[in-house]
Amino acid sequence: MAAQERGPPPPIELRENFPNPFFPSTTIPFVIHPEVCERGHQPLVSLKIYNVLVQAVAVPVLHNLNGEPIDDIHLSCGAYEAFWDGKFADGKREVTPGVYYAQLSVDGQRFTLKLIARK
């Protein structure tokens, strides 16, 4: 039986958050590979957390860039870790246990990851 050939990695990778399930906070890794940044291009990136009703509830921050919210910012290619403290966007209330979705947008291309909040 021949081994399956793996193609090149996708230009964008939204990786599994850790821990998952989480409570109260989680880290969401993602990678923007070099081919996205050809000719000096810096992609426009957003990462938002949605509830099951598809309502945006939070915007994680970048570990790598002084805690800047990942909301329509230009990033260089590389590996990043987003941090979500498990609070709503107002920063006052923790989210309730349940299912949430992280949606990464890179130059308009979207990638979605299921997150589980559990006490």
Side-chain angles (χ1 to χ4, degrees):
M1 181 175 236
Q4 288 183 339
E5 287 187 38
R6 291 184 57 131
I12 310 295
E13 292 180 65
L14 177 57
R15 295 182 174 165
E16 185 70 28
N17 64 304
F18 58 90
N20 193 22
F22 72 93
F23 203 84
S25 62
T26 191
T27 298
I28 306 164
F30 64 96
V31 179
I32 304 171
H33 288 279
E35 60 268 26
V36 176
C37 297
E38 290 177 351
R39 294 182 295 281
H41 175 69
Q42 285 195 319
L44 186 63
V45 178
S46 292
L47 180 61
K48 294 183 179 163
I49 306 297
Y50 292 89
N51 63 17
V52 294
L53 301 175
V54 195
Q55 298 166 322
V57 297
V59 176
V61 298
L62 276 176
H63 274 310
N64 319 48
L65 294 176
N66 303 318
E68 182 176 353
I70 308 167
D71 192 9
D72 289 335
I73 60 173
H74 290 278
L75 293 177
S76 301
C77 285
Y80 294 93
E81 287 188 341
F83 175 75
W84 179 34
D85 62 6
K87 293 185 179 177
F88 286 103
D90 65 12
K92 297 176 185 172
R93 300 174 294 137
E94 285 185 345
V95 295
T96 56
V99 175
Y100 294 86
Y101 296 92
Q103 186 173 81
L104 176 68
S105 174
V106 179
D107 284 341
Q109 190 174 5
R110 294 185 179 130
F111 305 87
T112 304
L113 176 69
K114 182 178 181 179
L115 313 173
I116 300 171
R118 185 182 310 160
K119 283 191 177 187

